[in-house]
Each structure stands twice: as structure tokens, then as C-alpha cells.
């Protein structure tokens, strides 16, 4: 283990992790050494006889735990993107240990006493100091010894349950997959798609993606096959219902220990929303209009179908109605959305136009899987900015969804430039080009918005680097980046037929634009139902338990006025990874909260000339570069020039 690659900083460019040298047996020794080393560093800070200062206390804490940080960053990235049975076993073993380790630091009374004595006049230092104090208070630093012991037990059990939930869901994506023996049952898919699903035993397997309405529901012509796929989707990982109910009860108990009436109140207190009432006021403005829109849409679908539709019919017949109303066929766009062109001539092109940055593929730098591609990013003057790592394809070893994470955090403290990563879950064709749906293109731009937030970070301390902002703010910059998907100059540059190179016909673009508010009732109800389900689980009172999670789920939706039988939540409890294994508990409202800021910002870009360097530089300077180094709503006001209004969002979603 003397050659354990985690024991020293990587010597690759930008300290990219040396994936080729990392083996599974390196992880546990590196975790163990990393935790021991950080505890020793923390003890030295806590026991110091020097007068507490920002430098010898807060900055010293920022410098601690380098081995642990390198190890955890790589391990959890690989566990999410390319796991193995061995990694899953390590994850079960190490997750509670990491929880105990975190508690050992944040419940260290001597350390907390020093932090409370630190003072500074520097604005960035003062903001970080306040974040540390808030972190420690919310972690239980002021609790009595018995209460701290109970808190440790709660945290450890929650950590174990979260891992169990995530691993059960990963297995369910294949164990609950749609399996057919006759390819005729897959009518509606093109030949390349069908071929990509064929297995060695002659069957065809369609794995589940991590949301209720699987993409295949819009294409499969066989109604019974759609029903089977839908029922597999909503019924997967049934054991997760009990895990979720237990986690919600434990979170309620923990919130009470920390002085909050509910876990929801605990969560939003350090978000931009601040209060439960603020979130509920915003959601309350959306539920009624969204349900009314969805009911109108359902009537149109039933008329198109000629019968009363079921939930598994919605996506299929919404495409039929879209074609009838707007003469728009989403499938007709796919030949113009080839993966490499979408990124190089679309995602990267827009970033170059806005910010002057350029991208150069680095085939000499590898990832943890052959499908991973690394790009070096440079500023307009050629100065190095960081690395962008792309992992686009779905596989059984990758969790569902799409996400961004940092492999290296930017900070002036360590002189580190950022290494950021985007993961998507696009089906890899058996051969030929990878053609994307419009939604997948949108996801690519969205996740790259997160990447820009990480790449443009210009802060001193890792704790506030890049996307280290409140959950209800972090989605905002990524949602803004979606506006360039259909921006004429950008679309014309990347939307070209993969065989002929011909640009997407202008009439197809016009039809897409005309159809943009179509099906927004469904999309908003689907999202709000998940949001309000999250909210219901996390407004449980301390001591309140749920014996029948499925009945609780239905009652919660009915109480919120969002129970519409044809539109189930985007995520049901049993596969709601965001809130039971992904850090978004009582925070799924963040997407719509952030979209208020996003819609305002899109208006600003349009009012000021759109895709220009001046606009990009302003957004980068005032917001993207600041990370979490100042109050996020202050950063928004510095960019926008005023407070946000909900009206642009209502207009965008057809709810005004």
C-alpha cells in the first residue's frame, strides 16, 4: 500500500485522478488513513494554545483531510457511474464510518469553542466563518452529551439506510426491466434501438430509467406492452417503501433534537427559501393552474385516442396530439441530434460565444470507463481553466438520471483548478451514431450549466467552491443554460443531419417553438406531485410513523390537491432517489424555486441581446465565478439588477 495512489496528489494535469492506477483494494486503506490523518489534524487545531484566528482555525480546517477528500471524491463518483459488487460492499462498510467521522469533527466541543471565538473583517472570510458556525450548530454542536450520542446513532442509521435504498434501486433498474422475446412487441422503436436492446439469449431488455414515465412509453405502439412497462416502473424496488418511511421518521426525530418542528423546517432554514411558509406559498400558486391545464390536456388525449386513457397512454397520445396540433413529430428531430455534434457544435459552441472558452479533447487522459472523454478547457487568452469530463452512456453499473460532480474543487488555497464531470444516461447504440432525443439534448445543456458553475469558480476556499451553494439555488445556473438549446445561432450550428449534414429544416424548428408550452400541465403536475410528496414525508412530526407508505403517499397527494390519477409523481417514494439517497430531502422544490430565477434571467438575456460576450462575461463575473462565497440572492441581484418575480415562470409554463 506504499504505492496507494490516494496517498499523494495526482501528478496528472489538473490533478485528474489516476483512474488507470486505482484498484478496489486501494479504497479502504485510503479511507482509513484519510480519516485518521484528518482527526489528528482536527485535534491539533482544537487543542492549540494559540488565540483562535481565522487562519489557525477555519483555514486550517479547510486544509485538513486531503487524503480523505481525494479518496471519497473518486470512490463515490465511481460508485455512482461504474459500480461493482466489490464497490457496493465497500460502500456499505464505509458510509457509516464516514458519518461517524463527520460527527467526530462537528461534535468536537473544544473545536467548536475555538470556532465561536474567531473574528475577521474580510468579507469572504466572514461569509465562510458564518457557514462553518451554521454547519456546526445544525450538526448538533450545542447539544448535551446524551442528545449528541442519540444524534450520532440517528446519523449512522440514516447513512446505512440511504446506501440500502440506492443499491436496491440500482438493482431494480435491471431486475425490473421490461423483457420481451418477440421484437414485434417493440414496434415503435427504430431498428437501431431494438438492436441495442438484444441480449445474448435472444431476448430484448429495456432497463428502467429513474423516473415514472419511461421514454419508451411515447413510442411503443402496443398498448399492453406500454402497460407492462409502466407498471414495472411504478412498482420497482418495493422494499424501498419501508426504508423511506423509516428514514422519514428518523429525520423527524433528528430535526426535533436540533430544535426544529420538522425535517422540512430544518432543511429550508439554511436555503434561500429560509422558511416552510415561503416554499408553500410558491407551490400554492402553481398547483391549481397546473391541474387545470393537465385536465384539459387529458380531454384532448382521450379525444385523440377514442377511449378513456390510462397513465401508460399519456406519453403516446400526447405525441399524437402534438403531431395533430402542431404537425410536430419529436422523432423527426433525432437524426439532427448526433451526440458528438451536440456537444462540440452546440454545448461547447454556446460556451465559446458567451464566455470565450475553448475545448480540446485530451485522449491521453483517461477515466474509469472507456466511454469517458476528457476535454481541456482554456480561457480566450489561452490560459488554462480546467478539465471537463463527459460520461454520456447508460449501463447497468450506473445509477439513473443525469448529474454533475467535481473531481477536483477549484480553490486558491490549494492552487487547484477545477475538474468537473457530467454524467448522462443515453442508450448506446450497438453500432452507428448516437442520436439523441430533444429531451436528451436539453439535459446535456442543463448538466453543462452545472459544469460551467464549477469551471468558472474563482474562490479562495474549497468549502464554497463552484456549486457549493444552497440546493434551491444550485439548479438555477444550469436551467439558464438550457435557453441556448433552441437559440437560432446555436441550433443552426449543431442541428445537422447525421448522414447528409443538412441543417434542421426551418419549419421543424418553428413547429418545436410553437409546441414548447404543449403538455406543460402534465409536466408541471408530475413535478409538483413529486415535490409535494417529498414535502409530506418531511413534515412528519417527531414520533409520527407511517405503517402503510403507499397509502400515505396517496393521502399526501390528495391533501395537496395534486392527486390526478392520470399523472403520477415523477418519482414515487420507492424510487425517489433525490430525497432518500441523493441529498435533496425536503429539497425537491429546489428545481421550481430555481426556475423562478432562471426565467427572470432568460428574460434579461433576451432584453440585452442574447448570445453575446458582454452578457456572458456579466453572468460569469457576478454569479458563476462567485460559487458559494457570498449570499446567493445577493449574487442574483448583482446580476439581474432587482429581485425576482414569479410572472416569467408562469408565462413560460403556460400557467399565467
Amino acid at each position: 500500500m506504499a504505492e496507494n495512489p490516494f496517498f499523494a496528489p495526482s501528478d496528472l494535469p489538473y490533478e485528474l485522478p489516476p483512474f488507470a492506477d486505482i484498484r478496489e483494494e486501494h479504497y479502504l486503506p485510503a479511507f482509513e488513513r484519510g480519516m485518521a490523518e484528518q482527526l489528528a489534524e482536527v485535534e491539533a487545531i482544537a487543542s492549540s494554545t494559540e488565540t483562535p484566528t481565522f487562519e489557525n482555525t477555519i483555514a486550517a480546517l479547510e486544509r485538513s483531510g486531503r487524503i480523505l477528500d481525494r479518496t471519497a471524491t473518486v470512490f463515490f463518483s465511481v460508485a455512482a457511474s461504474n459500480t461493482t459488487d466489490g464497490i457496493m460492499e465497500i460502500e456499505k462498510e464505509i458510509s457509516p464510518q464516514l458519518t461517524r467521522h463527520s460527527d467526530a469533527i462537528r461534535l468536537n466541543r473544544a473545536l467548536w469553542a475555538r470556532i465561536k471565538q474567531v473574528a475577521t473583517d474580510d468579507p469572504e472570510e466572514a461569509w465562510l466563518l458564518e457557514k462553518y458556525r451554521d454547519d456546526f450548530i445544525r450538526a448538533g454542536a450545542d447539544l448535551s452529551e446524551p442528545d449528541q450520542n442519540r444524534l450520532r446513532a440517528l446519523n449512522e442509521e440514516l447513512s446505512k439506510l440511504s446506501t440500502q435504498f440506492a443499491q436496491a434501486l440500482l438493482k431494480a433498474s435491471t431486475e425490473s426491466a421490461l423483457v420481451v422475446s418477440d421484437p414485434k412487441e417493440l414496434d415503435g422503436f427504430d431498428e437501431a434501438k431494438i438492436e441495442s436492446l438484444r441480449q445474448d439469449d435472444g431476448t430484448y431488455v429495456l432497463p428502467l430509467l429513474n423516473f415514472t414515465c419511461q421514454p419508451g412509453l411515447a413510442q411503443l405502439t402496443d398498448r399492453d406492452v406500454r402497460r407492462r412497462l409502466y407498471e414495472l416502473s411504478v412498482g420497482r424496488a418495493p422494499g424501498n417503501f419501508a426504508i423511506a418511511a423509516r428514514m422519514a421518521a428518523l429525520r423527524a426525530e433528528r430535526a426535533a433534537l436540533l430544535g426544529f418542528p420538522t425535517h422540512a423546517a430544518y432543511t429550508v432554514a439554511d436555503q434561500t427559501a429560509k422558511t416552510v411558509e415561503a416554499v408553500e406559498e410558491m407551490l400554492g400558486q402553481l398547483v391549481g393552474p397546473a391541474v387545470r391545464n393537465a385536465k384539459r390536456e387529458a380531454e384532448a388525449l382521450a379525444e385523440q385516442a377514442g377511449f378513456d386513457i390510462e397513465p401508460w397512454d399519456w406519453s403516446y397520445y400526447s405525441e399524437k396530439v402534438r403531431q395533430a396540433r402542431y404537425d410536430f413529430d419529436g422523432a423527426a428531430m433525432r437524426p439532427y441530434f448526433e451526440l458528438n455534434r451536440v456537444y462540440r457544435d452546440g454545448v461547447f459552441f454556446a460556451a465559446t460565444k458567451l464566455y470565450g472558452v475553448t475545448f480540446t479533447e485530451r485522449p491521453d487522459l483517461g477515466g474509469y470507463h472507456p466511454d469517458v472523454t476528457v476535454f481541456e478547457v482554456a480561457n480566450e487568452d489561452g490560459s488554462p481553466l480546467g478539465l471537463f469530463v463527459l460520461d454520456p452512456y447508460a449501463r447497468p453499473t450506473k445509477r439513473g438520471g443525469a448529474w454533475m460532480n467535481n473531481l477536483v474543487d477549484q480553490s486558491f488555497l490549494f492552487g487547484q483548478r477545477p475538474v468537473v464531470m457530467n454524467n448522462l444516461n443515453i442508450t448506446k447504440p450497438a453500432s452507428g451514431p448516437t442520436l439523441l432525443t430533444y429531451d436528451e439534448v436539453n439535459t446535456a445543456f442543463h448538466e453543462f450549466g452545472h459544469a460551467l458553475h464549477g469551471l468558472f469558480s474563482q474562490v479562495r476556499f474549497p468549502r464554497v467552491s463552484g456549486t457549493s451553494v444552497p440546493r434551491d439555488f444550485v439548479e438555477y445556473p444550469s436551467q439558464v443554460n438550457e435557453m441556448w438549446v433552441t437559440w437560432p445561432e446555436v441550433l443552426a450550428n449543431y442541428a445537422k443531419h447525421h448522414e447528409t449534414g443538412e441543417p434542421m429544416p426551418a419549419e421543424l424548428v418553428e413547429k418545436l417553438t410553437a409546441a414548447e408550452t404543449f403538455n406543460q400541465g402534465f409536466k408541471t403536475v408530475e413535478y409538483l406531485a413529486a415535490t409535494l410528496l417529498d414535502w409530506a414525508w418531511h413534515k412528519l412530526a417527531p414520533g409520527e410513523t407511517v405503517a402503510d407508505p403507499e397509502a400515505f403517499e396517496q393521502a399526501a397527494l390528495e391533501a395537496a390537491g395534486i392527486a390526478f390519477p392520470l399523472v403520477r409523481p415523477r418519482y414515487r417514494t420507492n424510487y425517489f432517489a433525490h430525497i432518500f439517497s441523493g441529498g435533496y430531502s425536503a429539497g425537491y422544490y429546489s428545481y421550481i424555486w430555481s426556475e423562478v430565477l432562471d426565467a427572470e434571467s432568460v428574460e434579461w438575456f433576451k432584453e440585452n441581446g442574447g448570445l453575446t460576450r458582454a452578457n456572458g462575461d456579466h453572468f460569469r463575473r457576478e454569479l458563476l465565478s462567485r460559487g458559494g462565497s457570498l449570499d446567493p440572492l445577493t449574487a442574483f441581484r448583482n446580476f439581474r439588477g432587482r429581485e425576482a418575480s414569479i410572472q416569467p415562470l408562469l408565462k413560460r409554463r403556460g400557467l399565467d
Side-chain angles (χ1 to χ4, degrees):
M1 285 302 157
E3 297 180 0
N4 191 309
F6 292 113
F7 289 172
S10 169
D11 59 6
L12 292 176
Y14 303 90
E15 296 187 30
L16 176 73
F19 290 108
D21 300 332
I22 296 170
R23 301 189 301 276
E24 284 183 16
E25 58 264 32
H26 290 139
Y27 288 118
L28 279 177
F31 272 122
E32 290 163 1
R33 179 165 165 177
M35 287 187 286
E37 182 181 273
Q38 187 172 33
L39 288 179
E41 292 166 337
V42 167
E43 184 56 35
I45 298 167
S47 61
S48 172
T49 58
E50 296 179 357
T51 301
T53 65
F54 184 90
E55 181 60 31
N56 68 23
T57 304
I58 304 302
L61 284 170
E62 286 288 284
R63 292 189 179 95
S64 71
R66 302 307 294 155
I67 290 177
L68 180 59
D69 181 66
R70 287 193 292 270
T71 308
T73 296
V74 171
F75 177 79
F76 287 107
S77 294
V78 174
S81 303
N82 194 36
T83 195
T84 64
D85 289 342
I87 286 176
M88 292 174 76
E89 287 303 312
I90 295 170
E91 188 175 17
K92 285 191 284 190
E93 180 177 349
I94 203 64
S95 292
Q97 292 184 43
L98 290 171
T99 299
R100 289 195 294 272
H101 176 75
S102 176
D103 284 344
I105 295 172
R106 293 185 177 181
L107 300 180
N108 183 316
R109 294 190 184 281
L111 178 62
W112 177 225
R114 287 185 65 84
I115 291 173
K116 287 191 285 189
Q117 296 177 62
V118 173
T120 178
D121 294 326
D122 179 274
E124 187 171 348
E125 291 181 356
W127 179 255
L128 180 61
L129 174 60
E130 187 60 31
K131 297 300 292 180
Y132 262 90
R133 287 176 173 161
D134 195 41
D135 287 347
F136 272 69
I137 291 170
R138 291 171 60 80
D142 282 334
L143 295 181
S144 66
E145 195 69 31
D147 283 348
Q148 283 192 354
N149 289 336
R150 178 56 184 156
L151 185 65
R152 293 175 198 265
L154 290 170
N155 288 341
E156 187 168 339
E157 185 176 355
L158 281 165
S159 175
K160 291 177 181 177
L161 290 170
S162 177
T163 299
Q164 289 174 22
F165 188 100
Q167 293 189 354
L169 188 52
L170 178 63
K171 289 181 179 179
S173 68
T174 51
E175 291 176 354
S176 298
L178 176 70
V179 181
V180 302
S181 55
D182 186 351
K184 292 180 182 177
E185 292 189 274
L186 300 176
D187 181 59
F189 288 161
D190 60 36
E191 290 184 11
K193 171 74 170 178
I194 295 173
E195 182 61 23
S196 72
L197 303 178
R198 188 163 63 86
Q199 307 299 301
D200 293 338
D201 64 0
T203 62
Y204 297 80
V205 177
L206 182 61
L208 298 180
L209 299 184
N210 200 37
F211 31 74
T212 296
C213 282
Q214 301 296 306
L217 293 171
Q219 300 164 278
L220 293 165
T221 61
D222 188 316
R223 192 182 185 206
D224 188 61
V225 174
R226 293 201 304 271
R227 177 191 59 77
R228 285 156 50 198
L229 176 60
Y230 183 86
E231 290 178 348
L232 286 167
S233 180
V234 299
R236 79 186 91 166
N240 276 353
F241 279 112
I243 294 175
R246 176 64 178 162
M247 291 182 71
L250 294 175
R251 286 169 174 168
E253 182 183 350
R254 183 175 62 183
L257 268 180
L258 295 168
F260 293 88
T262 64
H263 180 72
Y266 167 77
T267 295
V268 301
D270 74 336
Q271 302 296 297
T272 65
K274 300 300 182 188
T275 68
V276 166
E277 292 74 20
V279 175
E280 292 178 345
E281 180 184 357
M282 186 266 292
L283 296 177
Q285 295 180 63
L286 300 173
V287 169
V291 172
R292 286 194 294 274
N293 273 16
K295 287 181 176 179
R296 283 196 296 268
E297 291 167 3
E299 292 171 0
L301 301 190
E303 183 179 348
Q304 176 71 34
F307 54 80
D308 291 337
I309 64 167
E310 297 288 349
W312 48 86
D313 297 317
W314 190 292
S315 297
Y316 184 78
Y317 284 102
S318 69
E319 286 304 308
K320 298 294 185 186
V321 172
R322 191 198 308 265
Q323 291 176 33
R325 284 188 181 178
Y326 304 102
D327 191 24
F328 176 73
D329 179 6
M333 303 188 81
R334 289 192 67 209
Y336 299 92
F337 293 151
E338 191 275 322
L339 175 67
N340 287 319
R341 183 166 269 161
V342 165
Y343 270 94
R344 295 168 197 264
D345 297 341
V347 174
F348 295 167
F349 173 80
T352 301
K353 284 286 186 178
L354 279 168
Y355 309 111
V357 292
T358 55
F359 301 82
T360 304
E361 185 174 346
R362 292 290 302 265
D364 56 314
L365 300 177
Y368 48 80
H369 189 278
D371 289 337
V372 172
T373 306
V374 180
F375 297 88
E376 186 168 13
V377 190
N379 288 303
E380 187 175 36
D381 62 5
S383 60
L385 184 60
L387 294 179
F388 172 64
V389 182
L390 177 63
D391 182 0
Y393 291 118
R395 48 183 169 267
T397 56
K398 181 191 279 192
R399 69 174 171 88
W403 66 95
M404 169 270 189
N405 61 286
N406 280 11
L407 294 173
V408 178
D409 289 323
Q410 177 276 328
S411 77
F412 297 135
L413 184 69
F414 294 115
Q416 289 180 317
R417 293 187 174 94
V419 178
V420 304
M421 183 174 185
N422 276 177
N423 268 274
L424 285 74
N425 262 282
I426 297 164
T427 300
K428 187 176 184 179
S431 61
T434 301
L435 303 180
L436 309 187
T437 66
Y438 174 71
D439 284 346
E440 287 170 338
V441 174
N442 207 65
T443 298
F445 276 81
H446 175 98
E447 295 304 329
F448 193 72
H450 286 305
L452 290 171
H453 204 179
L455 284 167
F456 288 154
S457 177
Q458 291 284 290
V459 300
R460 288 165 60 190
F461 303 106
R463 169 66 177 78
V464 293
S465 180
T467 55
S468 298
V469 296
R471 282 290 188 193
D472 58 7
F473 191 82
V474 74
E475 297 298 334
Y476 154 53
S478 58
Q479 290 169 334
V480 171
N481 205 57
E482 295 175 26
M483 74 176 289
W484 309 117
V485 174
T486 55
W487 194 261
E489 185 180 357
V490 179
L491 189 69
N493 201 60
Y494 77 86
K496 298 178 181 179
H497 198 282
H498 70 99
E499 291 178 335
T500 67
E502 291 295 312
M504 183 182 288
E507 59 268 22
L508 192 55
V509 179
E510 291 166 4
K511 292 171 185 176
L512 170 65
T513 304
E516 278 188 324
T517 60
F518 175 76
N519 213 34
Q520 281 296 327
F522 170 88
K523 292 178 180 178
T524 309
V525 168
E526 182 191 47
Y527 167 78
L528 288 174
T531 298
L532 290 160
L533 179 59
D534 168 29
W535 208 241
W537 277 117
H538 293 114
K539 286 192 72 179
L540 290 178
E544 187 178 358
T545 58
V546 174
D548 186 341
E550 292 193 72
F552 173 87
E553 180 178 283
Q554 182 60 29
L557 297 175
E558 290 173 358
I562 200 77
F564 184 34
L566 295 179
V567 186
R568 271 176 151 158
R570 182 170 173 81
Y571 304 101
R572 293 190 68 207
T573 299
N574 45 320
Y575 46 94
F576 208 158
H578 281 77
I579 67 172
F580 293 115
S581 63
Y584 272 75
S585 59
Y588 195 63
Y589 78 90
S590 301
Y591 290 90
I592 202 83
W593 186 273
S594 294
E595 197 179 343
V596 172
L597 305 180
D598 155 36
E600 275 276 20
S601 299
V602 169
E603 291 290 308
W604 180 89
F605 272 102
K606 290 178 177 178
E607 291 166 3
N608 288 277
L611 190 77
T612 69
R613 278 297 308 281
N615 288 345
D617 288 346
H618 179 61
F619 194 45
R620 177 178 180 174
R621 180 179 61 254
E622 299 297 344
L623 200 137
L624 296 177
S625 69
R626 304 304 299 271
S629 65
L630 83 167
D631 174 68
L633 292 184
T634 298
F636 172 80
R637 285 191 295 271
N638 291 344
F639 161 69
R640 183 65 177 99
R642 59 173 171 80
E643 302 285 349
S645 162
I646 199 173
Q647 289 308 311
L649 170 66
L650 296 176
K651 179 181 177 182
R652 169 192 289 184
R653 286 183 171 253
L655 303 177
D656 54 345

